[in-house]
Amino acid sequence: MKARLAAFALVIAGAAHAAPIPFETYIKLHNGMLEAEVVSMVGAPDYSSDSNQGQLTGGRVTTVSTTRQLSWLANGQIPYTTIVTLRDGVVVDIKRDKKL
């Protein structure tokens, strides 16, 4: 029974990974797009990370801008990892690296 559960967990974990972005979709991404547009076009990312930049005002730190990176990892069929950087929900940078 435990072996079945372990195998089932591996199948579910493998299915949870997002697909890499095909070239035909990648060339449609551009700076100025909203995060919702990107995710609706290419699907949920494999990873995302957030970073906040703040400013000290009157003894309190206020958030000035939020930077977020969304990553879609390469696989055996599409060997490219794509990283989209967003600032306050708007695309400011798109990188694509080939993984060997």
Side-chain angles (χ1 to χ4, degrees), residues 15-97:
H17 291 289
I21 300 174
F23 181 75
E24 296 80 18
T25 305
Y26 167 74
I27 61 173
K28 295 177 184 176
L29 301 176
H30 57 84
N31 288 351
M33 290 181 79
L34 297 176
E35 180 178 0
E37 291 177 288
V38 173
V39 172
S40 70
M41 185 183 294
V42 299
D46 287 309
Y47 295 103
S48 66
S49 64
D50 296 329
S51 171
N52 295 321
Q53 293 181 348
Q55 179 178 4
L56 187 61
T57 308
R60 291 182 33 193
V61 176
T62 56
T63 301
V64 174
S65 68
T66 302
T67 302
R68 182 175 175 146
Q69 285 191 328
L70 306 177
S71 302
W72 289 265
L73 301 178
N75 68 10
Q77 295 176 335
I78 301 173
Y80 292 95
T81 294
T82 306
I83 300 172
V84 175
T85 304
L86 304 137
R87 185 165 296 121
D88 296 328
V90 177
V91 175
V92 294
D93 190 34
I94 303 167
K95 293 181 185 176
R96 188 162 166 105
D97 296 318

Side-chain angles (χ1 to χ4, degrees), residues 74 79 97-100:
D97 296 318
K98 186 170 186 176
K99 300 297 178 188
L100 301 175

